[in-house]
């Protein structure tokens, strides 16, 4: 045949350590029909600071593949919520082959057409909290590329017609496909008039949706005559591929005929036979009509309008494969994203007769509905059992209903069909089923009632069970509970939902409490983070005593908002929020930075320096204080910086370094002018400045290098204590004039007056220690 190659690629994305499904990177591809091979090139490379990360450590990268919906992954081996069905997927681990780059190749022969999803992540890290911008982090980027090779112009088989084929010596196989419509209970493929050098040296293989593989349903035509391959309960509304393959080493040309027959239990509504059961006998209300003209499987096969027969007779199928029951549709009611309710006509109470199943269909839209959770709930009305030991079994299958003729069968699986089983009885009257990330398409629910006897389950007699049926689509399982948050995520144009757990809870629905924080620990951590801010009370008292009222107001602001921000920021249930979280966070960050800013500006003592430099001619009280101008300017600039990047490193370093620079200039000016080191007393250095600087440095080191997610509660509390304590040491004293001294005389006329307070220049704490000498010159 003729092959066509298509190429798809996705942009590289930064990978994150796995914490929950919300931290993975998801890639969406679409594989066209008739694809014979798909090759994924998986490219991973490192970056550090915009360059190749040759020095970055190698970390294993796990990639998950799944067709139809995203993979339901569990790398941490946590417990899933009860009644949750976990669909399977394929995982691949990539290892590094070069210092900064690695490549992996994943081949899929005859992949299923439609949507394919790749999920990838890094291993779980130790949870270190790093300051943004402190150092260049290693980034691991992942880029998948897809190359598909598909066949064009595959021969189509039409049911009931014969196709002639001659296989040349250099050809090994012939590929066909046939479309299977709804209400098809059996597909039969037959090879006729096979002639070759060694009888009929052919293999007959068949598979749904994609070309057959070596493990697909097959038949050796040399050992079976006639060569007929039958498949019961085929998928509805899909292509089935038929491969006729020649045995290796067979010489010459092989000629044969291929025909396909479909067993269909539907009947044209205009030609319904008179013995067609009424709608009530088919578990349908009288007002609902004839259920689309469906009949039971024991009706005679239909005849074509002109009375002619098909060229090939239809073989007699088993009663189990012929039986085809009516399917009741459901009404789709969309409430929100991934919030859809499926209502049953004349429901939600469903009557399940003893002699036949009740079948319902739930349609999930392509792509749109695969990112949520499909929920199914059965509740048995015990009063409808009339004292009988009745069990109602429900089989949920994808793309075809399971309507087995064996009433005693309680399994929902066949050789080519897999499903999910639910059961309710008088003892356990409620049953639930949750399917995360379900495959889209049609899901069929078949309900059967069986009675338990000494010999197992047998058909009931004259007992019609009543079941309450509820089906809906939700974003997350139970909205992730009280210890989780359901997040709506997006990758390009694909939406999906996932839980993000907190307070040590894990799992797909945040129900695994193996590492969960106890209530006592949550209360203790909240109290530590909140009450540690009380350490700001001594700095406030010192500031008020030294007449630093503006600084005291900033410390009170910081203490208040830091306390209530941490009370609102807790991951557990011990949470108290007086405002919106974003407002509290902004005020906490602003107060912290303003505390550093005003403390360093106060240490600079700018007002005497400015007065000395300008030699003011006016009264000192009439001049604006330089420190107050810097306070206002710092508040505006810090607000702007926090609005741009709230977690940036330079939001803290920038104002701190700028304020320290101003302080250094002011102290240097005093030192040069006075020709003596400032502050001049060794007690100020030994008992205030050096201890305060050491405490502040220790706080910064803990904040930047020691803090992790596990020790955050007490390390951050220590950070509060150290920062507040350093402020108490670093805040300079304010000299007070003695009450015995009256106001200095002031000369009138032109000229200026310079007053120098020696005690303020010396930086003494107690004004009674030294006498105040005011030197006034004009």
């Amino acid at each position: 045949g003729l092959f066509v190659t298509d190429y798809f690629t996705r942009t590289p994305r930064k990978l994150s350590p796995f914490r929950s499904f919300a931290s993975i990177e998801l890639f969406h591809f679409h594989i066209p029909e008739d694809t014979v091979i798909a090759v994924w090139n998986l490219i991973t490379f490192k970056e550090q600071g915009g360059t190749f990360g040759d020095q970055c450590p190698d970390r294993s990268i796990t990639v998950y593949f799944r067709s139809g919906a995203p993979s339901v992954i569990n790398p941490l081996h946590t417990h899933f919520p009860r009644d949750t069905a976990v669909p399977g997927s394929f995982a691949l681990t990539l290892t590094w082959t070069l210092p900064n780059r690695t490549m992996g190749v994943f081949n899929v022969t005859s992949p299923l057409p439609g949507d394919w999803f790749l999920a990838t992540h890094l291993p779980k890290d130790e949870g270190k909290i790093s300051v943004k911008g402190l150092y260049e982090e290693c980034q691991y980027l992942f880029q998948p590329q897809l190359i598909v090779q598909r066949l064009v112009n595959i021969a189509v088989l039409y049911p009931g017609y014969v196709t002639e084929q001659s296989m040349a010596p250099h050809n090994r196989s012939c590929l066909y496909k046939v479309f299977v419509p709804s209400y098809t209970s059996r597909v039969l493929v037959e090879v006729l008039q096979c002639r070759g050098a060694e009888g009929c040296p052919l293999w007959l293989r068949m598979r749904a949706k994609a070309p057959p593989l070596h493990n697909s349903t097959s038949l050796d035509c040399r050992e079976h005559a006639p060569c007929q391959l039958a498949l019961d309960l085929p998928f509805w509304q899909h292509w089935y591929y038929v491969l006729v393959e020649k045995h290796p080493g067979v010489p010459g040309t092989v000629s044969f005929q291929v025909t396909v027959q479909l067993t269909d239990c539907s009947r044209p509504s205009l030609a319904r036979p008179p013995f067609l059961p009424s709608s009530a006998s088919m578990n349908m209300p009288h007002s609902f009509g004839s259920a689309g003209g469906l009949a039971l499987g024991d009706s005679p096969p239909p005849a074509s309008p002109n009375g002619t027969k098909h060229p090939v007779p239809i073989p007699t199928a088993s009663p189990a494969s012929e039986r085809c029951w009516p399917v009741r549709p459901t009404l789709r009611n969309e409430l929100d994203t991934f919030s859809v309710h499926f209502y049953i006509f004349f429901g939600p109470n469903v009557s399940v007769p003893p002699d036949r199943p009740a079948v319902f269909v739930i349609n999930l839209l392509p792509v749109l509905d695969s990112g949520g959770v499909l929920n199914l709930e059965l509740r048995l009305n015990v009063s409808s059992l009339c004292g009988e030991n009745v069990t109602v079994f429900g089989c949920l299958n994808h793309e075809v209903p399971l309507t087995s003729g064996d009433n005693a069968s309680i399994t929902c699986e066949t050789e080519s069909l897999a499903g999910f089983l639910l059961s309710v009885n008088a003892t356990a009257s409620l049953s639930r089923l949750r399917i995360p990330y379900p495959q889209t398409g049609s899901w069929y629910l078949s309900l059967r009632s069986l009675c338990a006897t000494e010999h197992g389950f047998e058909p009931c007699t004259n007992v019609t069970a009543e079941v309450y049926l509820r089906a809906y689509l939700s974003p997350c399982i139970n909205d992730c509970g009280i210890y989780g948050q359901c997040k709506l995520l997006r990758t390009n144009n694909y939406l999906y939902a996932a839980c993000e757990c907190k307070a040590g809870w894990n799992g797909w629905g945040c129900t695994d409490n193996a590492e969960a924080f106890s209530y006592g620990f949550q209360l203790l951590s909240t109290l530590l983070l909140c009450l540690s801010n009380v350490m700001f009370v001594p700095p406030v008292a010192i500031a008020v005593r030294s007449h630093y009222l503006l600084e005291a107001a900033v410390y009170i602001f910081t203490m208040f908002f830091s306390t209530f921000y941490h009370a609102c920021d807790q991951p557990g249930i011990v949470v108290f929020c007086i405002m919106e979280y974003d407002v509290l966070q902004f005020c906490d960050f602003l107060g912290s930075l303003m505390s550093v800013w005003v403390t360093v500006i106060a240490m600079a003592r700018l007002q005497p320096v400015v007065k000395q430099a300008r030699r003011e001619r006016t009264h000192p009280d009439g001049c604006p204080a330089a420190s107050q101008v810097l306070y206002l300017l710092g508040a505006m600039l810090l607000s702007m910086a926090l609005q741009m990047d709230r977690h940036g490193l330079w939001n803290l370093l920038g104002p701190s370094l700028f304020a320290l620079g101003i302080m250094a200039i002011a102290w240097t000016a005093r030192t040069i002018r006075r020709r003596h080191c400032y502050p001049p007393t060794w007690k100020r250095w030994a008992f205030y400045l050096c201890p305060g600087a050491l405490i502040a440095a220790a706080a910064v080191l803990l904040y930047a290098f020691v803090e992790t997610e596990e020790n955050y509660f007490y390390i951050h509390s220590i950070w509060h204590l150290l920062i507040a304590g350093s402020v108490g040491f670093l805040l300079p004293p304010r000299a007070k004039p003695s009450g015995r001294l009256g106001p200095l005389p002031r000369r009138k006329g032109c000229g200026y007056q310079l007053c120098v307070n020696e005690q303020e220049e010396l930086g003494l704490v107690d004004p009674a220690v030294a006498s105040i000498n005011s030197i006034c010159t004009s």
Side-chain angles (χ1 to χ4, degrees):
L2 178 62
F3 291 94
V4 175
T5 302
D6 296 327
Y7 175 80
F8 308 94
T9 186
R10 297 293 181 265
T11 56
R13 294 187 199 161
K14 177 185 174 182
L15 301 183
S16 303
F18 183 84
R19 296 182 181 178
S20 64
F21 199 87
S23 59
I24 63 101
E25 290 295 331
L26 191 65
F27 298 88
H28 178 207
F29 289 91
H30 184 82
I31 293 183
E33 292 184 345
D34 305 336
T35 298
V36 294
I37 188 170
V39 180
W40 271 282
N41 289 327
L42 310 176
I43 305 173
T44 306
F45 51 93
K46 310 172 189 176
E47 283 187 357
Q48 187 176 20
T51 60
F52 291 111
D54 295 336
Q55 305 301 323
C56 294
D58 295 342
R59 307 186 66 183
S60 60
I61 297 174
T62 308
V63 186
Y64 300 85
F65 298 82
R66 189 186 174 202
S67 171
S71 302
V72 181
I73 64 177
N74 187 22
L76 302 182
H77 306 289
T78 57
H79 297 291
F80 281 87
R82 293 185 56 184
D83 308 319
T84 302
V86 183
S89 59
F90 183 83
L92 178 68
T93 301
L94 300 180
T95 57
W96 296 94
T97 56
L98 295 175
N100 57 8
R101 185 174 180 178
T102 183
M103 291 188 62
V105 179
F106 180 63
N107 298 337
V108 180
T109 304
S110 297
L112 296 178
D115 300 308
W116 279 73
F117 295 89
L118 275 66
T120 180
H121 63 82
L122 295 173
K124 183 181 179 181
D125 58 2
E126 64 277 7
K128 186 179 183 304
I129 300 177
S130 59
V131 180
K132 182 179 179 181
L134 185 60
Y135 55 88
E136 296 292 345
E137 297 182 358
C138 290
Q139 297 184 358
Y140 300 83
L141 290 90
F142 178 80
Q143 180 182 20
Q145 299 173 348
L146 174 62
I147 302 175
V148 298
Q149 195 175 54
R150 56 187 176 90
L151 275 169
V152 295
N153 299 329
I154 298 179
V156 178
L157 298 177
Y158 296 94
Y161 291 89
V162 176
T163 300
E164 298 280 350
Q165 185 67 50
S166 180
M167 192 180 302
H170 62 276
N171 290 337
R172 292 195 55 186
S173 62
C174 294
L175 184 63
Y176 310 90
K177 64 180 180 180
V178 58
F179 186 77
V180 176
S182 299
Y183 307 107
T184 301
S185 60
R186 196 166 189 254
V187 178
L188 178 68
V189 181
E190 185 175 7
V191 176
L192 305 172
Q193 299 182 10
C194 178
R195 296 182 297 274
E198 300 178 1
C200 188
L202 299 177
W203 277 96
L204 185 59
R205 304 181 189 273
M206 184 166 50
R207 185 188 176 200
K209 305 179 184 178
L213 298 170
H214 66 281
N215 57 351
S216 302
T217 305
S218 60
L219 183 69
D220 190 353
C221 292
R222 290 192 299 188
E223 300 177 359
H224 297 81
C227 186
Q228 294 179 346
L229 183 60
L231 183 63
D232 294 330
L233 297 176
F235 295 133
W236 292 353
Q237 299 293 324
H238 285 287
W239 288 98
Y240 267 75
Y241 290 80
V242 178
L243 179 66
V244 181
E245 189 176 13
K246 186 167 57 175
H247 282 270
V250 175
T253 301
V254 180
S255 60
F256 55 90
Q257 295 178 346
V258 180
T259 184
V260 177
Q261 300 296 336
L262 304 181
T263 303
D264 192 350
C265 62
S266 63
R267 296 292 182 268
S269 58
L270 298 179
R272 189 176 64 173
F275 56 84
L276 180 68
S278 63
S279 58
S281 66
M282 293 190 297
N283 192 39
M284 300 296 290
H286 289 281
S287 59
F288 194 72
S290 61
L294 300 183
L296 298 178
D298 53 2
S299 302
S304 54
N306 56 6
T308 60
K309 295 182 179 180
H310 293 284
V312 179
I314 302 177
T316 303
S318 62
S321 62
E322 284 184 359
R323 194 171 297 274
C324 194
W325 301 100
V327 178
R328 293 178 60 176
T330 56
L331 177 65
R332 178 186 178 94
N333 185 16
E334 297 186 7
L335 304 178
D336 202 347
T337 304
F338 300 131
S339 182
V340 181
H341 285 194
F342 299 96
Y343 294 101
I344 301 173
F345 290 100
F346 311 103
N349 294 322
V350 178
S351 297
V352 183
D355 56 342
R356 54 187 173 270
V359 185
F360 305 88
V361 59
I362 301 172
N363 292 314
L364 300 184
L365 299 181
V367 180
L368 296 178
D369 293 342
S370 63
V373 180
L374 179 61
N375 301 269
L376 200 63
E377 181 178 321
L378 289 180
R379 189 185 300 271
L380 178 63
N381 186 2
V382 181
S383 61
S384 65
L385 303 182
C386 302
E388 297 289 338
N389 191 6
V390 178
T391 301
V392 177
F393 293 95
C395 285
L396 184 65
N397 297 90
H398 189 227
E399 296 176 338
V400 60
L402 181 62
T403 54
S404 174
D406 184 9
N407 288 329
S409 176
I410 59 174
T411 180
C412 296
E413 298 181 0
T414 63
E415 294 182 358
S416 60
L417 189 64
F420 303 97
L421 177 65
L422 299 92
S423 64
V424 288
N425 51 33
T427 305
S429 60
L430 178 63
S431 179
R432 292 188 178 94
L433 176 65
R434 303 182 181 96
I435 305 178
Y437 297 159
Q439 292 178 311
T440 56
S442 298
W443 287 84
Y444 294 90
L445 177 64
S446 303
L447 299 178
R448 294 175 294 168
S449 61
L450 300 175
C451 290
T453 62
E454 298 179 355
H455 306 287
F457 289 98
E458 295 181 357
C460 299
T461 57
N462 299 326
V463 178
T464 299
E466 185 176 301
V467 177
Y468 171 82
L469 175 60
R470 183 187 179 201
Y472 61 97
L473 194 69
S474 63
C476 300
I477 298 177
N478 292 336
D479 201 22
C480 302
I482 61 175
Y483 289 102
Q485 181 182 6
C486 186
K487 288 192 171 183
L488 185 63
L489 309 171
R490 190 181 78 170
T491 169
N492 292 337
N493 59 346
Y494 180 74
L495 291 175
Y496 60 102
C499 288
E500 191 172 64
C501 305
K502 55 187 179 181
W505 290 73
N506 294 306
W508 197 261
C510 300
T511 55
D512 190 338
N513 60 352
E515 302 177 359
F517 301 155
S518 64
Y519 178 81
F521 180 80
Q522 296 179 41
L523 181 61
L524 176 62
S525 62
T526 303
L527 292 177
L528 279 177
L529 289 170
C530 294
L531 297 182
S532 60
N533 290 283
V534 180
M535 190 63 184
F536 273 97
V537 173
V540 171
I542 295 174
V544 172
R545 181 175 177 273
S546 302
H547 292 180
Y548 288 105
L549 300 182
L550 190 146
E551 288 80 356
V554 173
Y555 300 153
I556 294 174
F557 179 90
T558 303
M559 179 177 62
F560 177 84
F561 281 102
S562 179
T563 299
F564 287 100
Y565 165 67
H566 285 292
C568 185
D569 188 45
Q570 296 308 302
I573 60 175
V574 186
V575 179
F576 179 71
C577 299
I578 62 172
M579 299 180 186
E580 291 185 2
Y581 176 82
D582 189 69
V583 175
L584 291 173
Q585 186 187 65
F586 178 83
C587 293
D588 173 61
F589 286 18
L590 179 61
S592 301
L593 296 180
M594 281 298 298
S595 298
V596 177
W597 176 263
V598 299
T599 302
V600 178
I601 295 300
M603 292 173 62
R605 306 178 70 98
L606 295 177
Q607 188 63 21
V609 176
V610 173
K611 291 179 182 178
Q612 177 72 17
R614 295 180 56 187
R615 302 190 180 274
E616 299 170 330
R617 288 183 171 86
T618 59
H619 193 276
D621 296 338
C623 301
S627 58
Q628 295 178 359
V629 174
L630 290 177
Y631 289 161
L632 181 60
L633 180 63
M636 292 186 294
L637 293 178
L638 288 175
S639 300
M640 179 194 68
L642 289 176
Q643 190 66 24
M644 294 174 60
D645 187 2
R646 198 164 293 182
H647 300 276
L649 175 64
W650 287 103
N651 289 346
L652 177 62
L653 284 184
S656 301
L657 294 178
F658 184 69
L660 287 174
I662 294 176
M663 184 189 70
I665 294 174
W667 285 14
T668 302
R670 284 195 182 93
T671 301
I672 295 175
R673 178 171 55 83
R674 302 181 71 251
R675 297 181 180 180
H676 193 279
C677 182
Y678 182 86
T681 60
W682 65 270
K683 293 182 180 180
R684 185 67 187 171
W685 286 97
F687 297 111
Y688 296 97
L689 296 181
C690 290
L694 291 177
I695 294 174
V700 172
L701 291 177
L702 285 177
Y703 179 81
F705 301 104
V706 180
E707 200 170 76
T708 63
E709 292 182 355
E710 294 182 356
N711 62 21
Y712 172 80
F713 308 110
Y714 50 88
I715 291 295
H716 201 76
S717 300
I718 296 174
W719 151 267
H720 288 165
L721 298 176
L722 295 179
I723 286 295
S726 65
V727 170
F729 280 93
L730 296 176
L731 194 66
R734 173 67 62 87
K736 297 180 181 179
S738 176
R740 298 187 300 270
L741 297 177
L744 295 175
R746 185 178 178 187
R747 297 180 58 183
K748 298 181 179 179
C750 299
Y752 64 90
Q753 186 180 43
L754 173 62
C755 297
V756 179
N757 192 326
E758 291 184 354
Q759 183 198 14
E760 184 180 0
E761 288 294 306
L762 292 176
L764 298 178
V765 180
D766 191 358
V769 176
S771 60
I772 301 176
N773 297 321
S774 298
I775 305 172
C776 299
T777 59
S778 58

